[in-house]
Amino acid sequence: MNRLKEIREDRDLLQKDIAKLLSITQTGYSKYEVETNDIPTETLKTLAKFYNTSIDYLLCLTDERKPYPKSILSNEKEEIHI
């Protein structure tokens, strides 16, 4: 199963919910889940923040779901909610 689909379903969300968060169509988001389209870096950052995980986890580079500590270079303190 695709990691994006897995983490989305763990939160009982629909593709259209995440598409709305990303300001794209449900079809556009679906293409990320089925790996038809590559995910832009800013979109990956948004998803990692929303799911409170790392980009590495979303891309299946690690099985560790816990996010990395925040960078001191990042001044972004906002949380993302649907």
Side-chain angles (χ1 to χ4, degrees), residues 4 8-9 11 15 20 22 27-29 34 38-39 42 55 58 62-64 66 68-69 76 79-81:
L4 285 177
R8 175 181 57 77
E9 288 180 343
R11 291 206 177 178
Q15 286 184 346
K20 182 178 177 183
L22 300 174
T27 302
Y29 177 75
V34 297
D38 286 336
I39 306 171
E42 288 303 314
I55 291 172
L58 295 177
T62 182
D63 290 329
E64 180 64 44
K66 184 176 150 188
Y68 299 123
E76 298 177 35
E79 289 189 27
I80 300 172
H81 304 281

Side-chain angles (χ1 to χ4, degrees), residues 53-69:
T53 193
S54 69
I55 291 172
D56 285 353
Y57 180 78
L58 295 177
L59 296 177
C60 298
L61 298 174
T62 182
D63 290 329
E64 180 64 44
R65 204 169 192 164
K66 184 176 150 188
Y68 299 123

Side-chain angles (χ1 to χ4, degrees), residues 4-67:
L4 285 177
K5 181 177 180 180
E6 175 187 311
I7 200 167
R8 175 181 57 77
E9 288 180 343
D10 283 352
R11 291 206 177 178
D12 295 323
L13 296 169
L14 302 173
Q15 286 184 346
K16 68 178 183 175
D17 299 324
I18 303 303
K20 182 178 177 183
L21 168 75
L22 300 174
S23 300
I24 61 174
T25 64
Q26 180 273 324
T27 302
Y29 177 75
S30 173
K31 290 179 181 183
Y32 296 154
E33 281 196 5
V34 297
E35 300 178 3
T36 301
N37 288 357
D38 286 336
I39 306 171
T41 302
E42 288 303 314
T43 300
L44 282 169
K45 288 167 70 173
T46 299
L47 289 169
K49 287 177 190 173
F50 175 73
Y51 289 124
N52 193 34
T53 193
S54 69
I55 291 172
D56 285 353
Y57 180 78
L58 295 177
L59 296 177
C60 298
L61 298 174
T62 182
D63 290 329
E64 180 64 44
R65 204 169 192 164
K66 184 176 150 188

